[in-house]
C-alpha cells in the first residue's frame, strides 16, 4: 500500500468513526476493447479515494465462456472474487449467488433506465447494478458507399447486394483483402445475438417467446439463417465462423470490410488514432428482413454484482456504486463510447460533443429486442447454447436450417420439460 492510500484508508476509518480495515478486492471482468485499461484507471482512483485495493481478474472476450467459469466459481462458493461484471442475460441464473443490492443502491437506482433495472431484478431482488447498456448497429464505410453511389442498406438482401458489388469492384481494382460484411458467427453467445437479429427482423420470432412458448422452428427463421449461410465464404470470410466481436473489429478497423455488425464500443476504437478508417465510417440501424419491416437489435449490456461469498461485501458494494456512478459512466461513454444506463447522460453536453453517434444510437437501444432470458429463466444459457449450436451447424454446412431447427425444437421441448 502506498502512503496516499494508507492515509486515505485512515481518513475513511476516521470519518466512519470506527476502525475499518482497508479491503483487498477482486473484480472479474471481460476483456473486449479497452475495458481493462479503462477499468484500471478507475480502480486507481477508487483505491486513492478509499484506501481499498482492487485487482482485476481478467476474463476472456467471450461472454458465454466467462459465464461458464463464473458459474463454476460461484457453485464452489469461491471467496476470491468479490465483484463480477455480468452480462444482462445472466441475472435469473446467478441470482442466488449474488447479494441483494436494493437497499444499498436506493439513493441512486432511480437515475437508471427502469427497464434495465427490471432486467436485473429477480423476485424483487436487485441482483446487479447497471453499468452500461448495449445494442448493435450496422457500421458502414461512408467513403466506399459514396464512391459507388450507394445508400446504407435498409434490408438484409440489400446489404448482401451492396456488399457484393463493392467487394467485387474494389477487388478488381486491387483491394484484394476487402470483404463485404463481417459479423460474429463463432459458436458462442454472440452468435445467439446475431441470429436473433436476422430471425426477429424477418418476423421469425424470438426463439422462446415471453410466455414460454418455443417458436424457433418456423420457415421465416430457417430462411433467414439460409440467407446468411450464403454469405459465408462469399461476402464474409470463411473465418467468420470463428469470429467474435474483436475478430470482426480487427478486419473492419484495418480497412478490410465494407460493413460490420458490432456494438457501440467499436465506434470510439474505429475513430482512434491507430485506426485505418478513422473518420471514414458511419453507423445506422441494422437492416430489416423486408422493406417496411422493423429491424431488430439485440439488447446487450453489462452490470456489476457482489458475490454472496465475498468477505468484503461492504467495500465491494462501495466499488460497484463507484463504477456505476454518473461520474464514472460519463467517463466511460466519453472514452469508450459505451452507452450509459443513466438517462440524464444522454442529454449531457460533453457526452454529445465527444460521441456524436449518441442521437443515432439512442432509439436503437430503446427498441432493442431482449434475448429470452426472462422467459427461459435458469435454463437460458442452455437454450442459447443449443440455439447457437443449431445456427453454427447450419452456417458450417452441417444440415439445412429447416432440419436443424426442427431438431432444436425437440431439444428445447425436452429441456423445458413441464416449464421453464
Ligand atoms: C456484448 C453484449 C452482451 C452480449 C455479448 C455477446 O458484450 O453487451 O450482452 O452477450 O456482446 O457477445
Amino acid at each position: 500500500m502506498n502512503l496516499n492510500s494508507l492515509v486515505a484508508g485512515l481518513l475513511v476509518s476516521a470519518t466512519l468513526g470506527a476502525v475499518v480495515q482497508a479491503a483487498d478486492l477482486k473484480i472479474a471482468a471481460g476483456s473486449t476493447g479497452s475495458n481493462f485499461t479503462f477499468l484500471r484507471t478507475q480502480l486507481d482512483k477508487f483505491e486513492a479515494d478509499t484506501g481499498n485495493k482492487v485487482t482485476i481478474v481478467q476474463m476472456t472476450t467471450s461472454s458465454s465462456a466467462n459465464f461458464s467459469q463464473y458459474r463454476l466459481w460461484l457453485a464452489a462458493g469461491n471467496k476470491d472474487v468479490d465483484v463480477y461484471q455480468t452480462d444482462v442475460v445472466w441475472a435469473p441464473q446467478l441470482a442466488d449467488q449474488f447479494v441483494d443490492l436494493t437497499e444499498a443502491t436506493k439513493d441512486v437506482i432511480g437515475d437508471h433506465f427502469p427497464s434495465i433495472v427490471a432486467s436485473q431484478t429477480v423476485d424483487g431482488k436487485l441482483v446487479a447494478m447497471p453499468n452500461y447498456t448495449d445494442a448493435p448497429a450496422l457500421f458502414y464505410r461512408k467513403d466506399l458507399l459514396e464512391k459507388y453511389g450507394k445508400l446504407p442498406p435498409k434490408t438484409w438482401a440489400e446489404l448482401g447486394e451492396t456488399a457484393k458489388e463493392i467487394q467485387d469492384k474494389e477487388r478488381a481494382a486491387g483491394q484484394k483483402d476487402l470483404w463485404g460484411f463481417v459479423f460474429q458467427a463463432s459458436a458462442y453467445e454472440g452468435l445467439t445475438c446475431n441470429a436473433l437479429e436476422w430471425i426477429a427482423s424477418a418476423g421469425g420470432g424470438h426463439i422462446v417467446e415471453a410466455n414460454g412458448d418455443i417458436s424457433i422452428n418456423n420457415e421465416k427463421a430457417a430462411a433467414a439463417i439460409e440467407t446468411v449461410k450464403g454469405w459465408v465464404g462469399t461476402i464474409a470470410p470463411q473465418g467468420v465462423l470463428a469470429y467474435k466481436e474483436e475478430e470482426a473489429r480487427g478486419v473492419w478497423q484495418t480497412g478490410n470490410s465494407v460493413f460490420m455488425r458490432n456494438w457501440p464500443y467499436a465506434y470510439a476504437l474505429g475513430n482512434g488514432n491507430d485506426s485505418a478508417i478513422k473518420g471514414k465510417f458511419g453507423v445506422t440501424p441494422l437492416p430489416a428482413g423486408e422493406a417496411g419491416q422493423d429491424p431488430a437489435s439485440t439488447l446487450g449490456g453489462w452490470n456489476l454484482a457482489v458475490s454472496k461469498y465475498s468477505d468484503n461485501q461492504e467495500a465491494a458494494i462501495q466499488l460497484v456504486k463507484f463504477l456505476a456512478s454518473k461520474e464514472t459512466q460519463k467517463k466511460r461513454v466519453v472514452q469508450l463510447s459505451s452507452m450509459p444506463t443513466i438517462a440524464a447522460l444522454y442529454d449531457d453536453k460533453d457526452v454529445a460533443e465527444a460521441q456524436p453517434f449518441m442521437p443515432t444510437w439512442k432509439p436503437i437501444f430503446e427498441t432493442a429486442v431482449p434475448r429470452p432470458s426472462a422467459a427461459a429463466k435458469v435454463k437460458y444459457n442452455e437454450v442459447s447454447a443449443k440455439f447457437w449450436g443449431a445456427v453454427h451447424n447450419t452456417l458450417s454446412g452441417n444440415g439445412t436450417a429447416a432440419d436443424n431447427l426442427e431438431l432444436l425444437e425437440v431439444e428445447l421441448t425436452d429441456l423445458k420439460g413441464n416449464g421453464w
Side-chain angles (χ1 to χ4, degrees):
M1 188 187 287
N2 65 27
L3 196 60
N4 274 349
S5 48
L6 181 66
V7 172
L10 291 175
L11 283 178
V12 171
S13 315
T15 348
L16 295 177
V19 182
V20 179
Q21 279 286 316
D24 245 327
L25 297 171
K26 289 206 177 60
I27 177 170
S31 58
T32 303
S34 314
N35 196 30
F36 290 156
T37 320
F38 176 81
L39 196 55
R40 188 63 259 166
T41 312
Q42 304 318 310
L43 295 176
D44 290 348
K45 181 171 183 324
F46 178 77
E47 290 184 349
D49 288 353
T50 65
N52 297 315
K53 201 175 157 348
V54 194
T55 311
I56 304 176
V57 178
Q58 304 196 347
M59 306 301 291
T60 72
T61 54
S62 162
S63 162
S64 33
N66 296 347
F67 175 79
S68 303
Q69 182 61 66
Y70 282 11
R71 193 149 66 170
L72 286 178
W73 283 338
L74 289 163
N78 184 317
K79 284 176 174 295
D80 291 343
V81 179
D82 303 280
V83 174
Y84 288 86
Q85 195 177 40
T86 59
D87 199 333
V88 68
V89 283
W90 300 345
Q93 294 164 96
L94 298 180
D96 291 346
Q97 319 280 3
F98 293 140
V99 169
D100 185 355
L101 297 172
T102 310
E103 203 44 41
T105 61
K106 64 173 190 239
D107 55 332
V108 286
I109 203 71
D111 298 340
H112 296 255
F113 287 111
S115 58
I116 302 177
V117 176
S119 76
Q120 299 309 300
T121 305
V122 179
D123 297 332
K125 168 176 175 175
L126 182 62
V127 173
M129 180 79 178
N131 188 19
Y132 65 93
T133 184
D134 237 354
L138 184 70
F139 291 67
Y140 63 92
R141 284 282 299 277
K142 272 193 300 208
D143 55 338
L144 291 176
L145 263 61
E146 264 162 34
K147 181 169 170 189
Y148 293 98
K150 302 284 176 192
L151 290 173
K154 293 268 185 243
T155 65
W156 291 109
E158 222 178 291
L159 176 140
E161 284 158 24
T162 306
K164 172 129 183 36
E165 184 180 331
I166 297 182
Q167 178 183 305
D168 287 350
K169 290 186 172 156
E170 284 290 296
R171 283 192 184 185
Q175 302 298 321
K176 294 280 176 245
D177 295 330
L178 188 79
W179 290 99
F181 183 38
V182 288
F183 52 100
Q184 298 80 34
S186 179
Y188 81 122
E189 183 65 23
L191 178 53
T192 291
C193 299
N194 280 253
L196 176 62
E197 287 153 8
W198 314 327
I199 294 171
S201 69
H206 306 94
I207 314 165
V208 174
E209 301 307 314
N211 65 2
D213 287 354
I214 299 162
S215 63
I216 188 58
N217 185 19
N218 68 77
E219 277 170 22
K220 286 182 174 157
I225 302 171
E226 290 292 352
T227 300
V228 177
K229 179 177 185 316
W231 297 340
V232 178
T234 57
I235 59 166
Q238 190 69 33
V240 79
L241 294 173
Y243 281 11
K244 300 191 291 295
E245 285 76 6
E246 288 293 78
E247 289 81 14
R249 185 172 68 84
V251 175
W252 162 255
Q253 210 172 293
T254 45
N256 290 320
S257 189
V258 183
F259 297 110
M260 170 177 74
R261 179 263 184 215
N262 219 328
W263 307 90
Y265 86 99
Y267 188 89
L269 291 165
N271 279 321
N273 285 331
D274 59 351
S275 167
I277 50 157
K278 182 177 177 180
K280 292 187 183 165
F281 67 93
V283 288
T284 189
L286 290 174
E290 277 166 33
Q293 269 177 330
D294 285 335
S297 269
T298 300
L299 181 66
W302 290 84
N303 309 277
L304 295 159
V306 173
S307 166
K308 194 167 93 177
Y309 311 104
S310 162
D311 285 331
N312 298 302
Q313 290 182 9
E314 216 171 299
I317 291 173
Q318 201 184 359
L319 173 61
V320 163
K321 289 184 79 174
F322 168 77
L323 290 174
S325 67
K326 194 169 169 194
E327 195 192 346
T328 315
Q329 287 207 9
K330 180 166 171 176
K331 289 184 192 154
R332 193 176 245 287
V333 56
V334 167
Q335 293 172 36
L336 304 189
S337 65
S338 47
M339 304 196 71
T341 59
I342 296 176
L345 286 174
Y346 288 78
D347 303 319
D348 185 290
K349 204 167 67 6
D350 306 328
V351 172
E353 217 168 273
Q355 301 299 359
F357 77 90
M358 290 278 285
T360 321
W361 228 306
K362 195 177 173 207
I364 302 181
F365 149 67
E366 283 170 340
T367 57
V369 176
R371 282 162 274 175
S373 127
K377 302 194 180 107
V378 292
K379 295 178 186 166
Y380 171 73
N381 201 58
E382 280 74 13
V383 169
S384 180
K386 287 186 190 303
F387 173 63
W388 84 55
V391 177
H392 196 266
N393 276 340
T394 312
L395 300 183
S396 317
N398 299 323
T400 64
D403 287 350
N404 286 332
L405 292 187
E406 197 181 327
L407 197 63
L408 176 65
E409 182 184 46
V410 173
E411 288 180 352
L412 293 183
T413 305
D414 191 38
L415 181 66
K416 179 179 175 185
N418 291 330
W420 300 108

